[in-house]
Amino acid sequence: MDAYRVLLTGGQGEYVEKKSRFIATVRKCESEGEAAAFIEEMKKKYWDARHNCSAYVLGERGELTRCSDDGEPSGTAARPILEVLLGEGIRNVAVVVTRYFGGVLLGTGGLVRAYTQAVKEGLADCTIGRMRPGSEVEVTTDYNGVGRILYLLGNAGIEPLSSDYTDRVVLRLLVPAECVEALHRQMEDATCGRVRFEKLRDLFYADREETGILSVESNG
Protein backbone atom coordinates (compact mmCIF):
# COMPACT_ATOMS: atom_id res chain seq x y z
CA MET A 1 0.00 0.00 0.00
CA ASP A 2 1.17 3.52 -0.76
CA ALA A 3 2.02 6.06 1.93
CA TYR A 4 -0.82 8.23 3.18
CA ARG A 5 -1.15 11.28 5.43
CA VAL A 6 -2.52 11.20 8.99
CA LEU A 7 -2.86 13.49 11.97
CA LEU A 8 -0.35 13.00 14.74
CA THR A 9 -1.99 15.72 16.82
CA GLY A 10 -5.23 17.59 16.19
CA GLY A 11 -5.70 21.33 16.29
CA GLN A 12 -8.03 24.29 15.98
CA GLY A 13 -8.15 27.38 13.79
CA GLU A 14 -10.46 30.34 13.31
CA TYR A 15 -11.51 32.50 10.36
CA VAL A 16 -13.65 35.65 10.54
CA GLU A 17 -15.69 36.94 7.61
CA LYS A 18 -17.98 39.98 8.01
CA LYS A 19 -18.22 39.37 11.76
CA SER A 20 -19.19 35.70 11.34
CA ARG A 21 -16.74 33.45 13.24
CA PHE A 22 -15.81 30.08 11.77
CA ILE A 23 -14.01 27.84 14.28
CA ALA A 24 -12.53 24.65 12.82
CA THR A 25 -11.71 21.82 15.23
CA VAL A 26 -9.71 18.95 13.73
CA ARG A 27 -9.28 15.57 15.39
CA LYS A 28 -7.91 12.14 14.57
CA CYS A 29 -10.67 9.48 14.42
CA GLU A 30 -10.19 5.81 13.61
CA SER A 31 -13.87 4.79 13.21
CA GLU A 32 -17.34 6.11 12.44
CA GLY A 33 -18.17 5.77 16.11
CA GLU A 34 -15.25 7.99 17.11
CA ALA A 35 -16.15 10.54 14.45
CA ALA A 36 -19.82 10.63 15.48
CA ALA A 37 -18.86 11.05 19.15
CA PHE A 38 -16.48 13.88 18.28
CA ILE A 39 -19.13 15.69 16.24
CA GLU A 40 -21.65 15.35 19.07
CA GLU A 41 -19.04 16.62 21.54
CA MET A 42 -18.50 19.76 19.45
CA LYS A 43 -22.24 20.36 19.13
CA LYS A 44 -22.56 20.26 22.91
CA LYS A 45 -19.52 22.47 23.43
CA TYR A 46 -20.77 25.06 20.92
CA TRP A 47 -24.45 24.64 21.67
CA ASP A 48 -25.12 28.34 21.17
CA ALA A 49 -23.64 28.50 17.65
CA ARG A 50 -25.79 28.84 14.53
CA HIS A 51 -24.19 25.84 12.77
CA ASN A 52 -21.76 22.98 13.49
CA CYS A 53 -20.91 21.63 10.05
CA SER A 54 -18.76 18.52 9.76
CA ALA A 55 -16.92 16.08 7.53
CA TYR A 56 -14.69 13.08 7.99
CA VAL A 57 -12.50 10.74 5.94
CA LEU A 58 -11.82 7.22 7.23
CA GLY A 59 -9.80 4.28 5.98
CA GLU A 60 -6.28 3.92 4.62
CA ARG A 61 -7.58 4.69 1.13
CA GLY A 62 -10.13 7.25 2.27
CA GLU A 63 -12.89 4.84 1.31
CA LEU A 64 -15.44 6.17 3.83
CA THR A 65 -16.49 9.83 3.75
CA ARG A 66 -19.41 11.67 5.34
CA CYS A 67 -20.33 15.33 5.67
CA SER A 68 -23.16 17.48 7.04
CA ASP A 69 -24.22 21.07 6.27
CA ASP A 70 -26.11 21.29 9.59
CA GLY A 71 -28.63 23.77 8.23
CA GLU A 72 -26.37 25.77 5.92
CA PRO A 73 -27.45 25.93 2.25
CA SER A 74 -26.63 22.67 0.50
CA GLY A 75 -23.10 22.56 -0.87
CA THR A 76 -21.85 25.66 0.93
CA ALA A 77 -20.27 24.08 4.03
CA ALA A 78 -19.96 20.30 4.30
CA ARG A 79 -18.71 19.66 0.77
CA PRO A 80 -16.05 22.40 0.91
CA ILE A 81 -14.83 21.02 4.27
CA LEU A 82 -14.63 17.51 2.83
CA GLU A 83 -12.89 18.72 -0.33
CA VAL A 84 -10.08 20.26 1.71
CA LEU A 85 -9.51 16.97 3.55
CA LEU A 86 -9.56 14.97 0.32
CA GLY A 87 -7.30 17.47 -1.39
CA GLU A 88 -4.76 17.22 1.42
CA GLY A 89 -4.87 13.42 1.27
CA ILE A 90 -5.35 13.06 5.02
CA ARG A 91 -6.95 9.86 6.34
CA ASN A 92 -8.75 9.02 9.60
CA VAL A 93 -9.59 12.65 10.30
CA ALA A 94 -12.75 14.52 11.28
CA VAL A 95 -13.45 18.25 11.23
CA VAL A 96 -16.24 20.31 12.77
CA VAL A 97 -16.52 23.93 11.70
CA THR A 98 -18.61 25.97 14.12
CA ARG A 99 -20.21 29.16 12.83
CA TYR A 100 -21.32 32.07 14.94
CA PHE A 101 -23.44 34.29 12.70
CA GLY A 102 -22.27 37.89 12.53
CA GLY A 103 -25.48 39.41 11.22
CA VAL A 104 -24.40 39.75 7.57
CA LEU A 105 -25.35 37.19 4.90
CA LEU A 106 -22.28 35.94 3.06
CA GLY A 107 -23.93 34.37 0.03
CA THR A 108 -23.04 31.03 -1.50
CA GLY A 109 -19.54 31.97 -2.62
CA GLY A 110 -18.73 33.66 0.66
CA LEU A 111 -19.77 30.64 2.68
CA VAL A 112 -17.72 28.28 0.54
CA ARG A 113 -14.64 30.46 0.92
CA ALA A 114 -15.13 30.90 4.68
CA TYR A 115 -15.61 27.21 5.45
CA THR A 116 -12.69 26.28 3.20
CA GLN A 117 -10.36 28.79 4.83
CA ALA A 118 -11.44 27.78 8.35
CA VAL A 119 -10.46 24.16 7.70
CA LYS A 120 -7.09 25.26 6.33
CA GLU A 121 -6.51 27.30 9.48
CA GLY A 122 -7.40 24.29 11.61
CA LEU A 123 -5.04 21.99 9.71
CA ALA A 124 -2.25 24.56 10.04
CA ASP A 125 -2.49 24.06 13.82
CA CYS A 126 -2.14 20.26 13.53
CA THR A 127 0.91 18.02 13.36
CA ILE A 128 0.62 15.97 10.20
CA GLY A 129 2.57 12.82 9.45
CA ARG A 130 2.79 10.22 6.75
CA MET A 131 2.11 6.53 7.26
CA ARG A 132 4.92 4.84 5.38
CA PRO A 133 5.65 1.17 4.71
CA GLY A 134 8.68 -0.07 6.59
CA SER A 135 10.17 -2.79 8.73
CA GLU A 136 11.05 -3.19 12.37
CA VAL A 137 14.65 -4.42 12.42
CA GLU A 138 16.96 -5.72 15.13
CA VAL A 139 20.66 -5.11 14.61
CA THR A 140 23.26 -6.91 16.73
CA THR A 141 26.96 -6.10 16.60
CA ASP A 142 30.07 -5.78 18.78
CA TYR A 143 31.51 -2.63 20.33
CA ASN A 144 33.96 -2.20 17.45
CA GLY A 145 31.14 -2.02 14.92
CA VAL A 146 28.54 0.04 16.74
CA GLY A 147 30.18 3.40 16.01
CA ARG A 148 30.15 2.71 12.27
CA ILE A 149 26.52 1.56 12.41
CA LEU A 150 25.42 4.64 14.34
CA TYR A 151 27.22 6.77 11.75
CA LEU A 152 25.25 5.07 8.95
CA LEU A 153 21.99 5.54 10.84
CA GLY A 154 22.72 9.21 11.39
CA ASN A 155 23.30 9.72 7.66
CA ALA A 156 20.02 7.94 6.93
CA GLY A 157 18.10 10.01 9.51
CA ILE A 158 17.17 6.91 11.49
CA GLU A 159 17.20 7.08 15.28
CA PRO A 160 17.12 3.77 17.20
CA LEU A 161 13.86 2.99 18.99
CA SER A 162 15.85 1.24 21.69
CA SER A 163 19.41 0.15 22.40
CA ASP A 164 20.87 -2.51 24.71
CA TYR A 165 24.56 -2.45 25.60
CA THR A 166 25.69 -5.68 27.29
CA ASP A 167 28.30 -8.08 25.98
CA ARG A 168 26.91 -7.18 22.55
CA VAL A 169 25.08 -4.11 21.25
CA VAL A 170 21.48 -4.63 20.14
CA LEU A 171 19.60 -1.85 18.35
CA ARG A 172 15.93 -1.87 17.39
CA LEU A 173 15.07 0.27 14.37
CA LEU A 174 12.21 1.39 12.16
CA VAL A 175 13.52 1.41 8.60
CA PRO A 176 11.67 2.69 5.50
CA ALA A 177 10.82 -0.20 3.19
CA GLU A 178 12.88 1.22 0.34
CA CYS A 179 16.00 1.44 2.54
CA VAL A 180 16.07 -2.00 4.19
CA GLU A 181 18.24 -3.90 1.71
CA ALA A 182 20.66 -1.04 1.09
CA LEU A 183 21.09 -0.40 4.82
CA HIS A 184 21.76 -4.09 5.42
CA ARG A 185 24.51 -4.11 2.77
CA GLN A 186 26.06 -0.92 4.13
CA MET A 187 26.20 -2.35 7.65
CA GLU A 188 27.77 -5.57 6.38
CA ASP A 189 30.44 -3.59 4.53
CA ALA A 190 31.10 -1.16 7.39
CA THR A 191 31.59 -3.92 9.98
CA CYS A 192 33.27 -6.47 7.69
CA GLY A 193 30.31 -8.78 8.28
CA ARG A 194 30.30 -8.51 12.09
CA VAL A 195 26.62 -7.66 12.28
CA ARG A 196 23.34 -9.57 12.48
CA PHE A 197 20.50 -7.79 10.69
CA GLU A 198 17.12 -9.37 11.45
CA LYS A 199 13.81 -8.09 10.06
CA LEU A 200 11.21 -8.64 12.80
CA ARG A 201 8.05 -7.52 10.99
CA ASP A 202 6.70 -5.33 8.21
CA LEU A 203 4.45 -2.44 9.22
CA PHE A 204 3.27 1.06 8.53
CA TYR A 205 4.69 3.79 10.76
CA ALA A 206 4.05 7.50 11.20
CA ASP A 207 6.77 9.81 9.98
CA ARG A 208 6.41 13.49 10.94
CA GLU A 209 6.47 15.45 7.70
CA GLU A 210 7.98 18.68 8.95
CA THR A 211 10.95 17.07 10.70
CA GLY A 212 11.37 13.57 9.32
CA ILE A 213 11.43 12.25 12.89
CA LEU A 214 9.93 8.79 13.24
CA SER A 215 6.93 8.52 15.53
CA VAL A 216 6.59 5.52 17.82
CA GLU A 217 2.99 5.22 16.65
CA SER A 218 2.77 2.34 14.22
CA ASN A 219 0.16 0.29 12.44
CA GLY A 220 1.08 -3.37 12.14
Side-chain angles (χ1 to χ4, degrees), residues 12 25 40-48 52 100:
Q12 189 173 82
T25 306
E40 189 60 31
E41 176 189 335
M42 291 300 100
K43 287 183 175 181
K44 289 179 180 178
K45 179 177 180 179
Y46 297 109
W47 60 270
D48 57 340
N52 284 287
Y100 284 95

Side-chain angles (χ1 to χ4, degrees), residues 69-102:
D69 287 307
D70 194 38
E72 290 281 34
S74 178
T76 63
R79 194 66 201 179
I81 295 170
L82 181 60
E83 288 295 339
V84 174
L85 298 180
L86 293 174
E88 293 290 336
I90 302 174
R91 307 291 184 249
N92 297 331
V93 59
V95 180
V96 176
V97 180
T98 301
R99 181 190 181 190
Y100 284 95
F101 184 54

Side-chain angles (χ1 to χ4, degrees), residues 9-217:
T9 62
Q12 189 173 82
E14 183 173 332
Y15 180 74
V16 178
E17 178 70 19
K18 296 180 180 179
K19 298 184 179 180
S20 278
R21 292 176 62 207
F22 296 82
I23 304 167
T25 306
V26 187
R27 186 174 297 178
K28 180 178 180 178
C29 294
E30 301 284 354
S31 67
E32 279 196 278
E34 283 188 30
F38 163 60
I39 293 167
E40 189 60 31
E41 176 189 335
M42 291 300 100
K43 287 183 175 181
K44 289 179 180 178
K45 179 177 180 179
Y46 297 109
W47 60 270
D48 57 340
R50 179 70 67 91
H51 305 282
N52 284 287
C53 305
S54 59
Y56 56 83
V57 180
L58 302 177
E60 295 171 351
R61 296 180 175 85
E63 55 266 31
L64 179 59
T65 62
R66 295 284 188 274
C67 58
S68 169
D69 287 307
D70 194 38
E72 290 281 34
S74 178
T76 63
R79 194 66 201 179
I81 295 170
L82 181 60
E83 288 295 339
V84 174
L85 298 180
L86 293 174
E88 293 290 336
I90 302 174
R91 307 291 184 249
N92 297 331
V93 59
V95 180
V96 176
V97 180
T98 301
R99 181 190 181 190
Y100 284 95
F101 184 54
V104 179
L105 296 175
L106 301 183
T108 300
L111 286 172
V112 170
R113 286 192 299 273
Y115 278 103
T116 297
Q117 188 59 40
V119 178
K120 291 180 179 179
E121 295 292 335
L123 289 174
D125 188 50
C126 298
T127 302
I128 298 175
R130 186 172 295 273
M131 294 298 288
R132 303 177 57 185
S135 297
E136 183 178 357
V137 173
E138 185 177 85
V139 174
T140 305
T141 188
D142 55 29
Y143 281 84
N144 291 325
V146 67
R148 297 173 183 144
I149 286 175
L150 291 176
Y151 177 78
L152 290 174
L153 295 179
N155 285 343
I158 298 173
E159 185 174 345
L161 295 175
S162 66
S163 56
D164 184 17
Y165 289 78
T166 54
D167 58 322
R168 305 277 287 174
V169 180
V170 181
L171 306 175
R172 188 167 63 90
L173 314 171
L174 279 180
V175 182
E178 67 274 15
C179 299
V180 172
E181 294 304 322
L183 187 62
H184 187 186
R185 289 195 302 271
Q186 290 169 3
M187 288 184 179
E188 288 277 356
D189 292 341
T191 63
C192 298
R194 297 192 309 274
V195 63
R196 183 167 65 87
F197 189 99
E198 181 182 1
K199 186 163 70 171
L200 303 179
R201 59 173 176 151
D202 294 322
L203 45 67
F204 270 73
Y205 65 91
D207 187 356
R208 287 176 58 182
E209 289 186 338
E210 74 275 22
T211 64
I213 296 173
L214 304 185
S215 169
V216 176
E217 174 189 354

